[in-house]
Amino acid sequence: MTIEGDVRTMTPETREIIESEVRAFTEGLEKSFGVECSLDYNNDYPVLYNHPEVTEHVRQVLEQASIPEIEAILETPPLPPSEDFAYYLEKVPGCFFYVGAMPESGEAYPHHHPKFDINEKSLIISAKAMAAVVASYCGGSDT
């Protein structure tokens, strides 16, 4: 039998605890039932951590930017995405943010779903938002 899964946590400490417990559970199965288990446990993506001061700076920049397409800036609760950007955030404080991209049809499907689609107008909004943030760090204007 093969069991596969994905573990996502909000802190590196929780990540370590879960791995330790999965390993202990595997050993317990072997001892309890006299079976041999093989465990391949890969910690692929690190926890994506938004630095609070950088996040606040980004929020302020976007609130003050002259980008009419930005309708709202919302704080989301912690989410467990697997995201390559997390590797950068391990090295340099930063902020990962989402830009709403629901298709005009209103039919939204999650990433990796065969029917996933975006409203391509969100691409220009994303570019303008990123440009405003970059300009703020370079001493430039967002307009």
Side-chain angles (χ1 to χ4, degrees):
M1 175 194 302
T2 300
I3 299 174
E4 293 183 21
D6 188 22
V7 175
R8 298 180 186 191
T9 64
M10 297 300 173
T11 68
E13 296 79 19
T14 302
R15 180 181 177 158
E16 289 176 16
I17 291 168
I18 290 175
E19 180 177 357
S20 175
E21 292 299 315
V22 168
R23 291 187 184 285
F25 180 76
T26 303
E27 291 172 13
L29 287 173
E30 290 178 325
K31 291 176 184 171
S32 295
F33 297 103
V35 297
E36 187 177 318
C37 298
S38 173
L39 176 63
D40 293 320
Y41 196 101
N42 300 313
N43 280 317
D44 292 334
Y45 291 91
V47 174
L48 192 153
Y49 175 75
N50 281 337
H51 190 276
E53 291 169 13
V54 175
T55 302
E56 178 59 19
H57 174 78
V58 169
R59 184 190 63 75
Q60 289 177 6
V61 166
L62 295 178
E63 283 179 348
Q64 296 169 6
S66 300
I67 305 173
E69 297 92 346
I70 294 179
E71 297 175 3
I73 298 170
L74 307 172
E75 183 175 340
T76 62
L79 301 170
S82 289
E83 176 57 52
D84 293 344
F85 194 70
Y87 289 108
Y88 293 110
L89 295 178
E90 282 189 319
K91 307 290 184 200
V92 178
C95 174
F96 179 89
F97 61 91
Y98 294 99
V99 175
M102 181 179 286
E104 289 183 20
S105 69
E107 292 185 68
Y109 294 90
H111 298 125
H112 312 294
H113 187 282
K115 293 184 179 180
F116 174 76
D117 194 14
I118 65 168
N119 182 334
E120 292 186 6
K121 292 177 185 174
S122 68
L123 299 174
I124 191 68
I125 299 168
S126 300
K128 288 179 178 182
M130 290 301 296
V133 172
V134 170
S136 75
Y137 280 104
C138 297
S141 171
D142 64 308
T143 55

